Amino acid sequence: MATSIRSIKSLVPLLDRVLVQRIKAETKTAGGIFLPESSVKELNEAKVLAVGPGALSKDGARVPMGVAQGDRVLIPQFGGSPVKVGEDEFHLFRDSEILAKINE
């Protein structure tokens, strides 16, 4: 079940959570041929929109986040908490669930 909110700007992740939006796969080939939606798969690549301040360690110190706003990351195919804003869908993942950061 997806949570519905009015504006993505009003959503602030807590602790070690990361708000991401999946990057949509190209619907057009390099030669200019348009692909039907049924043949386009979801990518595991996403853009980080917001990050929480980090989890607390056992001694109360803040653990720094592994990603920052604006990073491109690889996320698991399944999991995360879906958040729907209008027609757009976003996901909340824990920092430890992010598979990799993509450096350009």
Side-chain angles (χ1 to χ4, degrees):
M1 174 182 286
T3 303
S4 181
I5 58 174
R6 292 189 178 149
S7 170
I8 199 63
K9 292 180 181 182
S10 65
L11 187 65
V12 179
L14 298 177
L15 297 175
D16 64 339
R17 291 187 177 71
V18 180
L19 178 67
V20 300
Q21 183 175 26
R22 283 188 192 268
I23 295 175
K24 293 187 167 94
E26 291 292 324
T27 58
K28 188 166 96 171
T29 65
I33 298 171
F34 287 95
L35 301 170
E37 286 185 29
S38 60
S39 69
V40 178
K41 290 186 175 182
E42 274 192 344
L43 295 178
N44 286 4
E45 189 176 326
K47 182 176 180 181
V48 175
L49 301 177
V51 296
L56 294 174
S57 66
K58 292 184 182 194
D59 62 355
R62 188 75 63 184
V63 177
M65 297 291 283
V67 296
Q69 183 176 352
D71 286 346
R72 285 181 40 219
V73 295
L74 289 178
I75 56 175
Q77 185 68 32
F78 301 103
S81 299
V83 179
K84 194 157 178 116
V85 179
E87 295 298 315
D88 297 325
E89 189 166 326
F90 304 90
H91 287 83
L92 278 167
F93 286 95
R94 290 191 179 274
D95 187 42
S96 60
E97 294 174 336
I98 303 292
L99 302 176
K101 186 161 70 168
I102 301 171
N103 293 326
E104 295 181 40

Coordinates of all heavy atoms in Angstrom, one line a residue:
M1 N 0.8 -1.2 0.0 CA 0.0 0.0 0.0 C 0.9 1.2 0.0 O 1.8 1.4 0.8 CB -0.9 0.0 1.2 CG -1.7 1.2 1.4 SD -2.7 1.3 2.9 CE -4.0 0.1 2.4
A2 N 0.6 2.2 -0.9 CA 1.5 3.4 -1.0 C 0.8 4.5 -0.2 O -0.4 4.6 -0.1 CB 1.6 3.8 -2.5
T3 N 1.7 5.3 0.4 CA 1.3 6.5 1.1 C 1.1 7.6 0.1 O 1.9 7.8 -0.8 CB 2.3 6.9 2.2 OG1 2.5 5.7 3.0 CG2 1.9 8.0 3.0
S4 N 0.1 8.4 0.3 CA -0.2 9.5 -0.6 C 0.0 10.8 0.1 O -0.6 11.1 1.2 CB -1.6 9.4 -1.2 OG -1.8 10.4 -2.1
I5 N 0.9 11.7 -0.4 CA 1.0 13.1 0.1 C 0.9 14.1 -1.0 O 0.9 13.7 -2.2 CB 2.4 13.2 0.8 CG1 3.5 12.9 -0.1 CG2 2.5 12.3 2.0 CD1 4.9 13.2 0.4
R6 N 0.8 15.4 -0.7 CA 0.5 16.4 -1.7 C 1.8 16.9 -2.4 O 1.8 17.2 -3.6 CB -0.2 17.5 -1.1 CG -1.6 17.1 -0.7 CD -2.4 18.3 -0.3 NE -3.8 17.9 0.0 CZ -4.5 18.4 0.9 NH1 -4.1 19.4 1.6 NH2 -5.7 17.9 1.1
S7 N 2.9 17.1 -1.6 CA 4.1 17.6 -2.2 C 5.3 16.8 -1.7 O 5.4 16.6 -0.5 CB 4.2 19.1 -1.8 OG 5.5 19.6 -2.1
I8 N 6.2 16.5 -2.6 CA 7.4 15.7 -2.2 C 8.3 16.6 -1.3 O 9.1 16.0 -0.5 CB 8.1 15.1 -3.4 CG1 9.0 14.0 -3.0 CG2 8.9 16.2 -4.1 CD1 8.3 12.8 -2.4
K9 N 8.2 17.9 -1.4 CA 9.1 18.8 -0.6 C 8.7 18.7 0.9 O 9.5 19.1 1.7 CB 9.0 20.2 -1.1 CG 9.6 20.4 -2.5 CD 9.5 21.8 -3.0 CE 10.1 21.9 -4.4 NZ 10.1 23.2 -4.9
S10 N 7.5 18.3 1.2 CA 7.1 18.2 2.6 C 7.5 16.9 3.2 O 7.3 16.8 4.4 CB 5.6 18.3 2.7 OG 4.9 17.2 2.0
L11 N 8.2 16.1 2.5 CA 8.6 14.8 3.1 C 10.1 14.9 3.5 O 11.0 15.1 2.6 CB 8.4 13.7 2.0 CG 8.7 12.2 2.5 CD1 7.7 11.9 3.6 CD2 8.6 11.3 1.4
V12 N 10.4 14.7 4.7 CA 11.8 14.8 5.3 C 12.1 13.4 5.9 O 11.5 13.0 6.9 CB 11.9 15.9 6.3 CG1 13.3 15.9 6.9 CG2 11.5 17.2 5.7
P13 N 13.0 12.7 5.3 CA 13.4 11.3 5.9 C 14.0 11.5 7.3 O 14.7 12.5 7.6 CB 14.4 10.8 4.9 CG 14.3 11.6 3.7 CD 13.8 12.9 4.1
L14 N 13.7 10.5 8.1 CA 14.3 10.5 9.5 C 15.4 9.4 9.6 O 15.5 8.5 8.8 CB 13.2 10.1 10.5 CG 12.0 11.1 10.5 CD1 10.9 10.6 11.5 CD2 12.5 12.5 11.0
L15 N 16.2 9.6 10.5 CA 17.3 8.7 10.9 C 18.1 8.3 9.6 O 18.7 9.2 9.0 CB 16.8 7.5 11.6 CG 16.2 7.8 13.0 CD1 15.6 6.5 13.6 CD2 17.2 8.4 13.9
D16 N 18.2 7.1 9.3 CA 19.1 6.6 8.2 C 18.3 6.3 6.9 O 18.7 5.5 6.1 CB 19.9 5.4 8.6 CG 19.0 4.2 8.9 OD1 17.8 4.4 9.2 OD2 19.6 3.1 8.9
R17 N 17.2 7.0 6.7 CA 16.4 6.7 5.5 C 16.8 7.7 4.4 O 17.2 8.8 4.6 CB 14.9 6.8 5.9 CG 14.5 5.7 6.8 CD 13.1 5.6 7.1 NE 12.8 4.4 7.9 CZ 13.1 4.3 9.1 NH1 13.8 5.2 9.8 NH2 12.7 3.2 9.8
V18 N 16.6 7.1 3.1 CA 16.9 7.9 1.9 C 15.7 7.9 1.0 O 15.1 6.8 0.7 CB 18.1 7.1 1.2 CG1 18.5 7.9 -0.1 CG2 19.3 7.0 2.1
L19 N 15.3 9.0 0.5 CA 14.2 9.2 -0.4 C 14.8 9.2 -1.8 O 15.6 10.0 -2.1 CB 13.4 10.5 -0.1 CG 12.3 10.8 -1.1 CD1 11.1 9.8 -0.9 CD2 11.8 12.2 -0.9
V20 N 14.3 8.3 -2.7 CA 14.8 8.2 -4.0 C 13.7 8.1 -5.0 O 12.5 7.8 -4.7 CB 15.7 6.9 -4.2 CG1 16.9 6.9 -3.3 CG2 14.9 5.6 -4.1
Q21 N 14.0 8.4 -6.3 CA 13.1 8.3 -7.4 C 13.8 7.5 -8.5 O 14.9 7.8 -8.9 CB 12.6 9.6 -7.9 CG 11.6 9.5 -9.0 CD 11.0 10.8 -9.5 OE1 11.7 11.8 -9.4 NE2 9.8 10.8 -10.0
R22 N 13.1 6.4 -8.9 CA 13.7 5.5 -9.9 C 13.9 6.3 -11.2 O 13.0 7.1 -11.6 CB 12.8 4.3 -10.2 CG 12.9 3.2 -9.2 CD 12.1 2.0 -9.7 NE 11.9 1.1 -8.6 CZ 12.8 0.1 -8.4 NH1 13.8 -0.1 -9.1 NH2 12.6 -0.7 -7.4
I23 N 15.0 6.1 -11.9 CA 15.2 6.7 -13.2 C 14.5 5.9 -14.2 O 14.7 4.6 -14.2 CB 16.7 6.8 -13.5 CG1 17.3 7.8 -12.5 CG2 17.0 7.3 -14.9 CD1 18.8 7.9 -12.5
K24 N 13.7 6.5 -15.0 CA 12.9 5.7 -16.0 C 13.8 5.3 -17.2 O 14.7 6.0 -17.6 CB 11.8 6.6 -16.5 CG 10.7 6.9 -15.5 CD 9.6 7.6 -16.0 CE 8.4 7.6 -15.1 NZ 8.1 8.5 -14.2
A25 N 13.5 4.1 -17.7 CA 14.3 3.6 -18.8 C 13.9 4.3 -20.1 O 12.8 4.8 -20.2 CB 14.0 2.1 -19.0
E26 N 14.8 4.4 -21.0 CA 14.6 5.0 -22.3 C 13.5 4.3 -23.0 O 13.5 3.1 -23.1 CB 15.9 5.0 -23.1 CG 16.9 5.9 -22.6 CD 16.6 7.4 -22.7 OE1 15.9 7.8 -23.7 OE2 17.0 8.1 -21.7
T27 N 12.6 5.1 -23.6 CA 11.5 4.5 -24.4 C 11.7 4.6 -25.9 O 10.9 4.3 -26.7 CB 10.1 5.1 -24.0 OG1 10.2 6.5 -24.3 CG2 9.7 4.9 -22.6
K28 N 12.9 5.1 -26.2 CA 13.3 5.3 -27.6 C 14.7 4.8 -27.8 O 15.6 5.0 -27.0 CB 13.3 6.8 -27.9 CG 13.4 7.1 -29.4 CD 13.0 8.5 -29.7 CE 14.3 9.4 -29.7 NZ 14.0 10.7 -30.2
T29 N 14.9 4.0 -28.8 CA 16.3 3.5 -29.1 C 17.2 4.5 -29.7 O 16.7 5.6 -30.1 CB 16.2 2.3 -30.1 OG1 15.7 2.8 -31.4 CG2 15.3 1.2 -29.6
A30 N 18.4 4.2 -29.8 CA 19.4 5.2 -30.4 C 19.0 5.5 -31.8 O 19.3 6.6 -32.3 CB 20.8 4.6 -30.3
G31 N 18.4 4.6 -32.5 CA 18.0 4.8 -33.9 C 16.7 5.6 -34.1 O 16.2 5.9 -35.2
G32 N 16.0 5.9 -32.9 CA 14.8 6.7 -33.0 C 13.5 5.9 -32.9 O 12.4 6.4 -33.1
I33 N 13.6 4.6 -32.7 CA 12.4 3.8 -32.7 C 11.8 3.8 -31.3 O 12.5 3.6 -30.3 CB 12.8 2.3 -33.1 CG1 13.3 2.3 -34.5 CG2 11.6 1.4 -32.9 CD1 13.9 0.9 -34.9
F34 N 10.5 4.1 -31.2 CA 9.9 4.1 -29.9 C 9.5 2.7 -29.4 O 9.0 1.9 -30.2 CB 8.6 5.0 -29.9 CG 8.9 6.5 -30.0 CD1 9.0 7.1 -31.2 CD2 9.2 7.2 -28.9 CE1 9.3 8.4 -31.3 CE2 9.5 8.5 -28.9 CZ 9.6 9.1 -30.1
L35 N 9.8 2.4 -28.2 CA 9.5 1.1 -27.6 C 8.2 1.1 -26.9 O 7.9 2.1 -26.2 CB 10.6 0.6 -26.7 CG 12.0 0.5 -27.3 CD1 13.0 0.3 -26.2 CD2 12.1 -0.6 -28.3
P36 N 7.4 0.0 -26.9 CA 6.1 0.0 -26.2 C 6.5 -0.1 -24.7 O 7.5 -0.7 -24.3 CB 5.4 -1.3 -26.7 CG 6.5 -2.1 -27.3 CD 7.5 -1.2 -27.8
E37 N 5.6 0.4 -23.8 CA 5.8 0.4 -22.4 C 6.0 -1.0 -21.8 O 6.7 -1.2 -20.9 CB 4.7 1.1 -21.7 CG 4.7 2.6 -21.8 CD 3.7 3.3 -21.0 OE1 3.3 2.8 -19.9 OE2 3.2 4.4 -21.4
S38 N 5.3 -2.0 -22.5 CA 5.4 -3.3 -22.0 C 6.8 -3.9 -22.1 O 7.1 -4.9 -21.4 CB 4.3 -4.2 -22.7 OG 4.6 -4.2 -24.1
S39 N 7.6 -3.4 -23.0 CA 8.9 -4.0 -23.3 C 10.0 -3.3 -22.5 O 11.1 -3.7 -22.5 CB 9.2 -4.0 -24.8 OG 9.4 -2.6 -25.2
V40 N 9.6 -2.2 -21.8 CA 10.6 -1.4 -21.1 C 10.6 -1.9 -19.6 O 9.5 -1.8 -19.0 CB 10.3 0.1 -21.2 CG1 11.3 0.9 -20.3 CG2 10.4 0.5 -22.6
K41 N 11.7 -2.3 -19.1 CA 11.8 -2.8 -17.7 C 12.2 -1.6 -16.8 O 12.8 -0.6 -17.2 CB 12.8 -3.9 -17.5 CG 12.5 -5.2 -18.2 CD 13.5 -6.2 -17.9 CE 13.0 -7.6 -18.4 NZ 14.0 -8.6 -18.1
E42 N 11.8 -1.7 -15.5 CA 12.3 -0.7 -14.5 C 13.8 -0.9 -14.3 O 14.3 -2.0 -14.2 CB 11.5 -1.0 -13.2 CG 10.2 -0.3 -13.1 CD 9.7 -0.3 -11.7 OE1 10.2 -1.1 -10.8 OE2 8.7 0.5 -11.4
L43 N 14.4 0.2 -14.2 CA 15.9 0.2 -13.8 C 16.1 0.1 -12.3 O 15.2 0.6 -11.6 CB 16.5 1.4 -14.4 CG 16.6 1.6 -15.9 CD1 17.2 3.0 -16.3 CD2 17.3 0.5 -16.6
N44 N 17.2 -0.4 -11.9 CA 17.6 -0.4 -10.5 C 18.3 0.9 -10.2 O 18.9 1.0 -9.1 CB 18.4 -1.6 -10.2 CG 17.6 -2.9 -10.1 OD1 16.4 -2.8 -10.4 ND2 18.2 -3.9 -9.8
E45 N 18.3 1.8 -11.1 CA 19.0 3.1 -10.9 C 18.1 4.1 -10.4 O 16.9 4.2 -10.8 CB 19.7 3.5 -12.2 CG 20.6 4.7 -12.0 CD 21.3 5.0 -13.4 OE1 21.5 4.1 -14.2 OE2 21.5 6.2 -13.6
A46 N 18.5 5.0 -9.4 CA 17.6 6.0 -8.8 C 18.4 7.2 -8.5 O 19.7 7.2 -8.4 CB 16.9 5.5 -7.6
K47 N 17.7 8.3 -8.3 CA 18.3 9.6 -7.9 C 17.9 9.9 -6.5 O 16.7 9.8 -6.1 CB 17.9 10.7 -8.8 CG 18.5 12.0 -8.5 CD 18.1 13.1 -9.4 CE 18.8 14.4 -9.0 NZ 18.4 15.5 -9.9
V48 N 18.9 10.2 -5.7 CA 18.6 10.6 -4.3 C 18.0 12.0 -4.2 O 18.7 12.9 -4.6 CB 19.9 10.4 -3.4 CG1 19.6 10.9 -2.0 CG2 20.4 9.0 -3.4
L49 N 16.8 12.1 -3.6 CA 16.2 13.4 -3.5 C 16.4 14.0 -2.1 O 16.4 15.2 -2.0 CB 14.7 13.2 -3.8 CG 14.3 12.7 -5.1 CD1 12.8 12.5 -5.3 CD2 14.8 13.6 -6.2
A50 N 16.4 13.2 -1.1 CA 16.6 13.7 0.3 C 17.2 12.5 1.2 O 16.9 11.4 0.9 CB 15.3 14.1 0.9
V51 N 18.0 12.9 2.2 CA 18.5 11.9 3.1 C 18.2 12.4 4.5 O 18.1 13.6 4.8 CB 20.0 11.7 2.9 CG1 20.3 11.1 1.6 CG2 20.8 13.0 3.1
G52 N 18.1 11.4 5.4 CA 18.0 11.8 6.8 C 19.3 12.1 7.5 O 20.4 12.1 6.8
P53 N 19.3 12.5 8.7 CA 20.6 12.9 9.4 C 21.5 11.8 9.7 O 22.7 12.0 10.0 CB 20.1 13.6 10.7 CG 18.7 13.0 10.9 CD 18.1 12.7 9.6
G54 N 21.0 10.6 9.7 CA 21.8 9.4 10.0 C 21.3 8.7 11.3 O 20.7 9.4 12.1
A55 N 21.6 7.4 11.4 CA 21.2 6.7 12.6 C 22.1 7.0 13.8 O 23.1 7.6 13.6 CB 21.3 5.2 12.3
L56 N 21.6 6.6 14.9 CA 22.4 6.8 16.1 C 23.1 5.5 16.5 O 22.5 4.4 16.5 CB 21.5 7.3 17.3 CG 20.9 8.6 17.1 CD1 19.9 8.9 18.3 CD2 21.9 9.7 17.1
S57 N 24.4 5.6 16.8 CA 25.1 4.4 17.3 C 24.7 4.1 18.7 O 24.0 4.8 19.4 CB 26.6 4.6 17.1 OG 27.0 5.6 18.0
K58 N 25.3 2.9 19.2 CA 24.9 2.5 20.6 C 25.4 3.5 21.6 O 24.8 3.7 22.7 CB 25.5 1.2 20.9 CG 24.8 0.1 20.1 CD 25.3 -1.3 20.5 CE 24.7 -2.3 19.6 NZ 24.8 -3.6 20.0
D59 N 26.5 4.3 21.3 CA 26.9 5.3 22.3 C 26.3 6.7 22.1 O 26.7 7.6 22.7 CB 28.5 5.4 22.3 CG 29.0 5.8 20.9 OD1 28.2 5.9 20.0 OD2 30.2 6.0 20.8
G60 N 25.4 6.8 21.1 CA 24.6 8.0 20.9 C 25.2 8.9 19.9 O 24.7 10.0 19.6
A61 N 26.3 8.5 19.2 CA 26.9 9.3 18.2 C 26.2 9.1 16.9 O 25.6 8.0 16.6 CB 28.4 8.9 18.0
R62 N 26.1 10.2 16.0 CA 25.4 10.1 14.8 C 26.3 9.4 13.7 O 27.5 9.8 13.6 CB 25.1 11.5 14.3 CG 24.2 11.7 13.1 CD 22.8 11.4 13.3 NE 22.1 12.3 14.2 CZ 20.8 12.1 14.5 NH1 20.1 11.1 14.0 NH2 20.2 12.9 15.4
V63 N 25.8 8.4 13.1 CA 26.5 7.6 12.0 C 26.3 8.4 10.7 O 25.1 8.6 10.3 CB 26.0 6.2 11.9 CG1 26.7 5.5 10.8 CG2 26.2 5.5 13.2
P64 N 27.3 8.8 10.0 CA 27.2 9.6 8.8 C 26.5 8.7 7.7 O 26.7 7.5 7.6 CB 28.6 10.0 8.4 CG 29.5 9.1 9.1 CD 28.8 8.6 10.3
M65 N 25.8 9.4 6.8 CA 25.1 8.7 5.7 C 26.1 8.4 4.6 O 27.1 9.1 4.4 CB 24.0 9.6 5.1 CG 22.9 9.9 6.2 SD 21.9 8.4 6.6 CE 20.9 8.3 5.1
G66 N 25.9 7.3 3.9 CA 26.7 6.9 2.8 C 26.4 7.6 1.4 O 27.2 7.6 0.5
V67 N 25.3 8.2 1.3 CA 24.9 8.9 0.1 C 24.4 10.3 0.5 O 24.1 10.6 1.7 CB 23.8 8.2 -0.6 CG1 24.2 6.9 -1.1 CG2 22.5 8.1 0.2
A68 N 24.4 11.2 -0.5 CA 23.9 12.6 -0.3 C 22.9 12.9 -1.4 O 22.7 12.2 -2.4 CB 25.1 13.5 -0.4
Q69 N 22.2 14.0 -1.1 CA 21.2 14.5 -2.1 C 21.8 14.7 -3.4 O 22.9 15.3 -3.5 CB 20.5 15.8 -1.6 CG 19.4 16.3 -2.4 CD 18.7 17.5 -1.8 OE1 19.0 17.9 -0.7 NE2 17.9 18.1 -2.6
G70 N 21.2 14.3 -4.5 CA 21.7 14.4 -5.9 C 22.5 13.3 -6.4 O 22.8 13.2 -7.6
D71 N 22.9 12.3 -5.5 CA 23.7 11.1 -5.9 C 22.8 10.2 -6.8 O 21.6 10.1 -6.6 CB 24.2 10.3 -4.7 CG 25.3 11.0 -4.0 OD1 25.9 11.9 -4.6 OD2 25.6 10.6 -2.9
R72 N 23.5 9.5 -7.7 CA 22.8 8.4 -8.5 C 23.2 7.1 -7.8 O 24.4 6.9 -7.5 CB 23.2 8.4 -9.9 CG 22.6 9.5 -10.7 CD 23.0 9.5 -12.2 NE 23.1 8.2 -12.8 CZ 24.0 7.9 -13.6 NH1 24.9 8.8 -14.0 NH2 24.0 6.7 -14.2
V73 N 22.3 6.2 -7.5 CA 22.5 5.0 -6.8 C 21.9 3.8 -7.4 O 20.9 4.0 -8.2 CB 22.0 5.1 -5.3 CG1 22.8 6.2 -4.5 CG2 20.5 5.4 -5.2
L74 N 22.3 2.6 -7.0 CA 21.7 1.4 -7.4 C 20.9 0.9 -6.2 O 21.4 0.9 -5.1 CB 22.7 0.3 -7.8 CG 23.4 0.5 -9.1 CD1 24.4 -0.6 -9.2 CD2 22.5 0.5 -10.2
I75 N 19.6 0.6 -6.4 CA 18.7 0.2 -5.4 C 18.3 -1.3 -5.6 O 18.3 -1.7 -6.8 CB 17.5 1.1 -5.2 CG1 16.7 1.2 -6.6 CG2 17.9 2.5 -4.7 CD1 15.5 2.0 -6.5
P76 N 17.8 -2.0 -4.6 CA 17.3 -3.3 -4.8 C 16.0 -3.3 -5.7 O 15.3 -2.3 -5.8 CB 16.9 -3.8 -3.4 CG 17.5 -2.8 -2.5 CD 17.7 -1.6 -3.2
Q77 N 15.8 -4.4 -6.4 CA 14.7 -4.5 -7.3 C 13.4 -4.4 -6.5 O 12.4 -3.8 -7.0 CB 14.7 -5.9 -8.1 CG 13.6 -6.0 -9.1 CD 13.7 -5.1 -10.3 OE1 14.8 -4.8 -10.7 NE2 12.6 -4.7 -10.9
F78 N 13.3 -5.0 -5.3 CA 12.2 -5.0 -4.5 C 12.5 -4.4 -3.1 O 13.7 -4.4 -2.8 CB 11.6 -6.4 -4.3 CG 11.2 -7.1 -5.6 CD1 12.1 -8.0 -6.2 CD2 10.1 -6.7 -6.3 CE1 11.7 -8.6 -7.3 CE2 9.7 -7.3 -7.5 CZ 10.6 -8.3 -8.0
G79 N 11.5 -3.9 -2.4 CA 11.8 -3.4 -1.1 C 11.5 -1.9 -1.1 O 11.1 -1.3 -2.0
G80 N 11.8 -1.3 0.1 CA 11.6 0.1 0.2 C 10.1 0.4 0.5 O 9.3 -0.5 0.3
S81 N 9.8 1.6 0.9 CA 8.5 2.0 1.2 C 8.0 2.9 0.1 O 8.6 4.0 0.0 CB 8.3 2.6 2.6 OG 8.7 1.8 3.6
P82 N 7.0 2.5 -0.7 CA 6.6 3.4 -1.8 C 5.8 4.6 -1.2 O 5.1 4.5 -0.3 CB 5.7 2.5 -2.6 CG 5.2 1.5 -1.7 CD 6.3 1.3 -0.7
V83 N 6.0 5.8 -1.9 CA 5.4 7.0 -1.5 C 4.9 7.6 -2.9 O 5.7 7.8 -3.8 CB 6.3 8.0 -0.8 CG1 5.6 9.3 -0.5 CG2 6.9 7.4 0.4
K84 N 3.6 7.8 -3.0 CA 3.0 8.3 -4.2 C 2.6 9.8 -4.1 O 1.9 10.2 -3.1 CB 1.8 7.5 -4.6 CG 1.3 7.7 -6.0 CD 0.6 6.5 -6.5 CE 0.1 6.8 -7.9 NZ 0.6 5.9 -8.9
V85 N 3.1 10.6 -5.0 CA 2.7 12.0 -5.1 C 2.1 12.3 -6.4 O 2.9 12.3 -7.4 CB 3.9 13.0 -4.8 CG1 3.5 14.4 -4.9 CG2 4.5 12.6 -3.5
G86 N 0.8 12.5 -6.5 CA 0.2 12.6 -7.8 C 0.4 11.3 -8.6 O 0.1 10.3 -8.2
E87 N 1.0 11.5 -9.8 CA 1.3 10.3 -10.7 C 2.7 9.8 -10.4 O 3.0 8.7 -11.0 CB 1.1 10.7 -12.1 CG -0.3 11.1 -12.5 CD -1.2 9.9 -12.3 OE1 -0.9 8.8 -12.8 OE2 -2.3 10.1 -11.8
D88 N 3.5 10.5 -9.7 CA 4.9 10.1 -9.5 C 5.0 9.2 -8.3 O 4.3 9.4 -7.3 CB 5.8 11.4 -9.3 CG 5.8 12.3 -10.5 OD1 5.8 11.7 -11.6 OD2 5.9 13.5 -10.3
E89 N 5.9 8.2 -8.4 CA 6.2 7.3 -7.3 C 7.6 7.4 -6.8 O 8.5 7.5 -7.6 CB 5.9 5.9 -7.7 CG 5.9 4.9 -6.5 CD 5.3 3.6 -6.8 OE1 4.3 3.5 -7.6 OE2 5.8 2.6 -6.2
F90 N 7.8 7.5 -5.5 CA 9.1 7.6 -4.9 C 9.2 6.4 -3.9 O 8.2 5.8 -3.6 CB 9.2 8.9 -4.1 CG 9.0 10.1 -5.0 CD1 7.7 10.6 -5.1 CD2 10.0 10.7 -5.7 CE1 7.4 11.7 -5.9 CE2 9.8 11.8 -6.5 CZ 8.5 12.3 -6.6
H91 N 10.4 6.2 -3.4 CA 10.7 5.1 -2.5 C 11.6 5.6 -1.3 O 12.5 6.4 -1.5 CB 11.3 3.9 -3.1 CG 10.4 3.1 -4.0 ND1 10.1 3.5 -5.3 CD2 9.6 2.0 -3.8 CE1 9.3 2.7 -5.8 NE2 8.9 1.8 -4.9
L92 N 11.3 5.1 -0.1 CA 12.2 5.3 1.0 C 12.9 4.0 1.3 O 12.3 3.0 1.5 CB 11.3 5.7 2.3 CG 10.9 7.2 2.3 CD1 9.8 7.3 3.4 CD2 12.1 8.0 2.6
F93 N 14.2 4.1 1.4 CA 15.1 3.0 1.7 C 16.0 3.4 2.9 O 16.2 4.5 3.1 CB 16.0 2.6 0.5 CG 15.4 1.9 -0.6 CD1 14.9 2.6 -1.7 CD2 15.2 0.6 -0.6 CE1 14.3 2.0 -2.8 CE2 14.6 -0.1 -1.7 CZ 14.2 0.6 -2.8
R94 N 16.4 2.4 3.6 CA 17.4 2.6 4.7 C 18.8 2.8 3.9 O 19.0 2.2 2.9 CB 17.5 1.5 5.7 CG 16.3 1.4 6.6 CD 16.6 0.4 7.7 NE 15.4 0.3 8.6 CZ 15.2 1.2 9.6 NH1 16.1 2.1 9.9 NH2 14.2 1.0 10.3
D95 N 19.7 3.5 4.5 CA 21.0 3.8 3.9 C 21.7 2.4 3.7 O 22.4 2.3 2.7 CB 21.8 4.7 4.8 CG 23.1 5.1 4.2 OD1 23.2 5.4 3.0 OD2 24.1 5.1 4.9
S96 N 21.5 1.5 4.6 CA 22.2 0.2 4.4 C 21.6 -0.7 3.3 O 22.2 -1.6 2.9 CB 22.1 -0.6 5.8 OG 20.8 -0.8 6.1
E97 N 20.4 -0.3 2.8 CA 19.8 -1.1 1.7 C 20.3 -0.6 0.3 O 20.1 -1.3 -0.6 CB 18.3 -1.0 1.8 CG 17.7 -1.6 3.0 CD 16.2 -1.4 3.2 OE1 15.7 -0.4 2.6 OE2 15.6 -2.2 3.8
I98 N 20.9 0.6 0.3 CA 21.4 1.1 -1.0 C 22.5 0.2 -1.4 O 23.5 0.0 -0.6 CB 21.8 2.6 -0.9 CG1 20.7 3.5 -0.4 CG2 22.4 3.1 -2.2 CD1 19.5 3.6 -1.3
L99 N 22.5 -0.3 -2.6 CA 23.5 -1.2 -3.1 C 24.8 -0.6 -3.5 O 25.9 -1.1 -3.2 CB 23.0 -2.0 -4.3 CG 21.7 -2.8 -4.1 CD1 21.2 -3.4 -5.3 CD2 21.8 -3.8 -3.0
A100 N 24.8 0.5 -4.2 CA 26.0 1.2 -4.6 C 25.7 2.6 -5.0 O 24.6 3.0 -5.4 CB 26.6 0.4 -5.8
K101 N 26.8 3.4 -5.0 CA 26.7 4.8 -5.5 C 27.3 4.8 -6.9 O 28.4 4.2 -7.0 CB 27.4 5.7 -4.5 CG 27.2 7.2 -4.9 CD 27.5 8.1 -3.7 CE 28.9 8.2 -3.3 NZ 29.2 9.3 -2.4
I102 N 26.7 5.5 -7.8 CA 27.3 5.6 -9.2 C 28.1 6.9 -9.3 O 27.5 8.0 -9.2 CB 26.2 5.5 -10.2 CG1 25.4 4.2 -10.1 CG2 26.7 5.7 -11.6 CD1 24.1 4.2 -10.9
N103 N 29.4 6.8 -9.5 CA 30.2 8.0 -9.7 C 30.3 8.2 -11.2 O 30.6 7.3 -11.9 CB 31.6 7.8 -9.1 CG 31.5 7.7 -7.6 OD1 30.7 8.4 -6.9 ND2 32.4 6.9 -7.0
E104 N 30.2 9.4 -11.6 CA 30.3 9.7 -13.0 C 31.6 10.2 -13.4 O 32.3 10.8 -12.7 CB 29.2 10.8 -13.4 CG 27.8 10.2 -13.2 CD 26.7 11.1 -13.5 OE1 26.9 11.9 -14.5 OE2 25.7 11.2 -12.8

